[in-house]
Amino acid sequence: VQLQASGGGLVQTGDSLRLSCTVSGRVSTPYALGWFRRAPGKEREFVSAINSRDGRAVYRDSIEGRFTISIDKSKNTALLRMNRVNPADTAVYYCALDWHGCSGYDCWVESEYDNWGQGTQVTVSS
């Protein structure tokens, strides 16, 4: 199983961006796909996750209302729509797969995830 994250780039404050995470290989349901990010000089932190069974999404408080996660189960792809980005969103964004389908605050925990993608850089200029 491999995860491919894409969609990062250089944008301006207030712009929108869509990140994509596609899982290749055999995947059993339910599972969860999560996004984490690591800003320069900071620890990696949870951003959002979605469960394939019921589509329930979890967000960190600081991005809720600006970011939206969705899942296309037919393609084993999770999308993270990022609206009204600001410089604090600058980071390398990683997607991760939880084979057991986490929910709630369990999704915030990195050790819940079994496979990780390589990351995609998002840079927001002021």
Side-chain angles (χ1 to χ4, degrees), residues 28-50:
S28 62
T29 58
Y31 60 86
L33 285 172
W35 287 98
F36 289 74
R37 66 185 181 186
R38 177 180 282 132
K42 295 187 177 181
E43 297 291 319
R44 188 160 60 184
E45 65 181 15
F46 171 77
V47 176
S48 181
I50 189 165

Side-chain angles (χ1 to χ4, degrees), residues 92-124:
V92 177
Y93 284 71
Y94 299 90
C95 64
L97 171 67
D98 173 9
W99 286 101
H100 302 288
C102 62
S103 61
Y105 282 109
D106 287 346
C107 295
W108 288 60
V109 181
E110 291 192 21
S111 60
E112 284 284 325
Y113 297 86
D114 305 284
N115 301 89
W116 290 79
Q118 84 288 358
T120 185
Q121 175 72 48
V122 173
T123 303
V124 183

Side-chain angles (χ1 to χ4, degrees), residues 1-124:
V1 171
Q2 291 187 328
L3 281 72
Q4 180 68 45
S6 62
L10 174 62
V11 295
Q12 295 184 332
T13 295
D15 283 352
S16 295
L17 201 64
R18 189 180 74 173
L19 304 184
S20 175
C21 175
T22 298
V23 182
S24 60
R26 194 166 186 171
V27 180
S28 62
T29 58
Y31 60 86
L33 285 172
W35 287 98
F36 289 74
R37 66 185 181 186
R38 177 180 282 132
K42 295 187 177 181
E43 297 291 319
R44 188 160 60 184
E45 65 181 15
F46 171 77
V47 176
S48 181
I50 189 165
N51 191 300
S52 70
R53 177 180 58 241
D54 53 17
R56 288 194 176 186
V58 184
Y59 300 95
R60 74 178 297 106
D61 294 347
S62 64
I63 61 96
E64 191 159 9
R66 295 191 299 121
F67 292 8
T68 303
I69 192 170
S70 60
I71 190 168
D72 184 340
K73 289 186 286 186
S74 68
K75 299 178 181 179
N76 291 329
T77 296
L79 300 174
L80 184 68
R81 179 72 177 179
M82 305 166 61
N83 293 324
R84 305 191 307 279
V85 297
N86 59 66
D89 296 318
T90 294
V92 177
Y93 284 71
Y94 299 90
C95 64
L97 171 67
D98 173 9
W99 286 101
H100 302 288
C102 62
S103 61
Y105 282 109
D106 287 346
C107 295
W108 288 60
V109 181
E110 291 192 21
S111 60
E112 284 284 325
Y113 297 86
D114 305 284
N115 301 89
W116 290 79
Q118 84 288 358
T120 185
Q121 175 72 48
V122 173
T123 303
V124 183

